[in-house]
């Protein structure tokens, strides 16, 4: 299934295109003091390594603007300055050379200040995000609409856009974030009908994982599957690297970006599992880390069903009789000791990434691997039976209970 994306105009954030059919981009924000140039750059590089395309830094004081002047030329990705209340900080950030600004309409309200920033950004060819936030909505709109509503948030964005249009500035993307997923989704739906500017998606103040990941994914993924959204950010109470990884993984899962790192799948385990699947899967995730191996890798609990259930994976491993059975595209290729399962996965993944699936199968003695896998399958079935979870017995008891009632 291919998602039909909403047609938008395209802007550039530095050298990164946003909208107009460009790949959906991942953004995050540093949590360092921007005046701490080395610390901020270290975090920016970590974000870029995790899949972040654009990074936002706060510009809330003169020292931060001065820091940006040193950060921007050394950053591997475009830098957006986050501005609150003080429009002169936006002008200072532009002077520092940032590739984008984020302005909150609820915080900078004087028309002449908004237009002064837009004019300077226009002359420099720098884009601006109109960042509406449900928690900082202008009181006048709050009163007009009877609270924080989708209509109020959209109106806030369009009022700001009108100021930009007065000075002939259109390098704009827009966000209407809220901490409520239904509110956020409806606001973006309405905004997508009202403008063709690219949209930046996010659930603001989503909170710490795992609940924050669930909330952010619920809102962002819903809109992306409707074709709405050109750039995204997970706003988590966590290390921002987690935001970047989550954003990248979401886009890959939805088929909106090419796979960059390992997609690790694992069975939920059952009575037949010969290993602690959760432990092996977590150790595998840690071992792969940020290795650039765009493969699907499976960790399966038993050799009885594992290779068949994960036959579409590029590579996988299943446990049986204290051994790990490696398979490539469902073909058994090797047997390793149980304590070497994770290391073997990494070694084979690196080989497949460099040489391809066919070469991996060709280098294996598949007849021996398949014979050993069959031996362990037979032993497991003999020991545990075909119904390792004893569901047949449970069904019998259920039927007795129902009939006796």
């Amino acid at each position: 299934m291919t998602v039909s994306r909403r047609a938008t105009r395209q802007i550039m954030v530095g050298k990164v295109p946003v909208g107009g059919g460009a790949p959906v981009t991942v953004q995050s924000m540093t949590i360092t003091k921007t005046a701490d140039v080395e610390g901020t750059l270290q975090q920016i590089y970590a974000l870029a390594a995790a899949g972040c395309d654009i990074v936002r830094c706060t510009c809330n004081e003169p020292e931060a603007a001065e820091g940006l002047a040193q950060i921007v030329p050394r950053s591997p990705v475009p830098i957006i300055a986050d501005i609150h209340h003080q429009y002169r900080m936006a002008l200072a950030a532009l002077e520092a050379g940032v590739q984008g600004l984020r302005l909150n309409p609820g915080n900078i309200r004087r028309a002449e200040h908004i237009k002064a920033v837009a004019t300077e950004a226009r002359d420099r060819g720098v884009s601006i995000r109109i960042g509406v936030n449900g928690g900082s909505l202008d009181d006048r709109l709050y009163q007009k609409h009877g609270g924080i509503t989708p209509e109020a948030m959209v109106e806030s964005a369009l009022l700001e856009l009108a100021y930009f249009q007065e000075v002939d500035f259109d390098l704009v993307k827009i966000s209407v974030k809220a901490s409520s997923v239904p509110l956020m989704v409806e606001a973006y739906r309405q905004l997508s009908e009202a403008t063709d500017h690219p949209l930046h998606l996010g659930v603001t103040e989503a909170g710490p994982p795992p609940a924050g990941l669930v909330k952010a994914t619920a809102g962002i993924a819903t809109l992306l599957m409707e074709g709405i959204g050109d750039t995204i950010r997970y706003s988590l109470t966590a290390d921002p690297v987690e935001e970047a990884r989550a954003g990248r993984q979401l886009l890959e899962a939805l088929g909106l970006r090419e796979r960059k790192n390992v997609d690790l799948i694992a069975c939920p385990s059952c009575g037949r599992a010969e290993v602690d699947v959760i432990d092996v899967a977590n150790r595998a995730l840690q071992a792969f880390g940020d290795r650039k191996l765009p493969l699907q890798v499976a960790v399966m609990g038993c050799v009885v069903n594992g290779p068949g259930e994960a036959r579409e994976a590029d590579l996988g491993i299943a446990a049986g009789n204290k051994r790990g059975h490696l398979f490539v595209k469902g073909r058994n290729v090797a047997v390793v000791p149980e304590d070497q399962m994770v290391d073997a996965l990494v070694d084979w993944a690196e080989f497949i990434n460099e040489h391809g699936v066919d070469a991996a199968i060709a280098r294996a003695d598949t007849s021996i691997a398949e014979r050993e896998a069959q031996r362990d399958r037979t032993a497991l079935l003999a020991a545990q039976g075909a119904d390792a979870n004893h569901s047949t017995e449970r069904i019998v008891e259920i039927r007795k209970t129902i009939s006796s009632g």
Side-chain angles (χ1 to χ4, degrees), residues 71-85:
I71 290 167
V72 169
R74 296 171 59 189
S75 172
V77 295
I79 298 298
I80 292 178
D82 191 55
I83 310 298
H84 286 273
H85 301 292

Side-chain angles (χ1 to χ4, degrees), residues 22-307:
V24 178
T25 55
V26 175
Q27 295 191 27
S28 185
M29 185 173 181
T30 55
I31 58 175
T32 54
K33 296 292 186 183
T34 309
D36 176 7
V37 172
E38 298 304 321
T40 301
L41 277 169
Q42 185 177 14
Q43 195 163 85
I44 291 169
Y45 270 87
L47 288 167
C52 204
D53 301 295
I54 300 167
V55 173
R56 181 159 51 110
C57 301
T58 189
C59 187
N60 59 341
E61 57 186 2
E63 293 80 5
E66 292 172 11
L68 286 172
Q70 301 173 68
I71 290 167
V72 169
R74 296 171 59 189
S75 172
V77 295
I79 298 298
I80 292 178
D82 191 55
I83 310 298
H84 286 273
H85 301 292
Q86 302 179 48
Y87 84 102
R88 290 192 181 278
M89 286 296 98
L91 298 177
L94 289 170
E95 190 63 37
V98 297
Q99 291 91 355
L101 298 174
R102 184 263 185 167
L103 304 181
N104 185 335
N107 292 336
I108 300 178
R109 300 178 183 177
R110 294 181 64 174
E112 61 268 29
H113 291 169
I114 296 168
K115 289 189 280 189
V117 173
T119 298
E120 187 65 24
R122 178 200 66 199
D123 293 346
R124 293 173 180 266
V126 173
S127 66
I128 297 178
R129 170 161 68 92
I130 298 173
V132 178
N133 188 314
S136 57
L137 193 66
D138 189 310
D139 287 340
R140 292 167 295 183
L141 292 174
Y142 187 94
Q143 296 299 325
K144 176 182 176 180
H145 292 276
I148 303 170
T149 66
E151 293 76 14
M153 296 172 69
V154 170
E155 183 173 348
S156 177
L158 297 180
L159 285 172
E160 188 90 348
L161 186 60
Y163 291 134
F164 289 175
Q165 291 169 341
E166 287 183 32
V167 295
D168 196 29
F169 178 73
D170 64 356
L171 303 177
V172 181
K173 63 179 183 286
I174 308 174
S175 64
V176 281
K177 296 184 180 181
S179 56
S180 163
V181 173
L183 173 60
M184 165 264 191
V185 168
E186 182 56 28
Y188 276 106
R189 284 172 174 163
Q190 292 186 20
L191 183 61
S192 70
E193 295 292 329
T195 179
D196 67 347
H197 284 284
L199 302 185
H200 170 78
L201 305 184
V203 176
T204 192
E205 301 158 358
L213 283 168
V214 172
K215 286 180 66 176
T217 300
I220 296 171
T222 296
L223 291 163
L224 288 175
M225 290 303 289
E226 294 178 7
I228 298 171
D230 303 281
T231 179
I232 67 172
R233 182 202 171 185
Y234 274 71
S235 297
L236 302 177
T237 309
D239 186 329
V241 170
E242 289 193 46
E243 297 183 355
R245 286 182 179 144
R248 183 77 197 197
Q249 289 168 354
L250 177 63
L251 295 181
E252 290 177 359
L254 297 179
L256 293 172
R257 291 291 290 267
E258 290 185 7
R259 187 158 302 287
K260 186 177 181 181
N261 295 319
V262 164
D263 173 26
L264 193 139
I265 63 174
C267 71
S269 193
C270 69
R272 186 176 286 118
E274 288 280 286
V275 294
D276 183 341
V277 179
I278 296 173
D279 175 65
V280 176
N282 284 332
R283 285 193 289 116
L285 272 177
Q286 185 174 13
F288 282 115
D290 288 327
R291 295 170 188 256
K292 301 300 186 287
L293 301 172
L295 307 172
Q296 187 175 75
V297 178
V299 173
M300 308 302 286
C302 79
V303 72
V304 175
N305 298 320

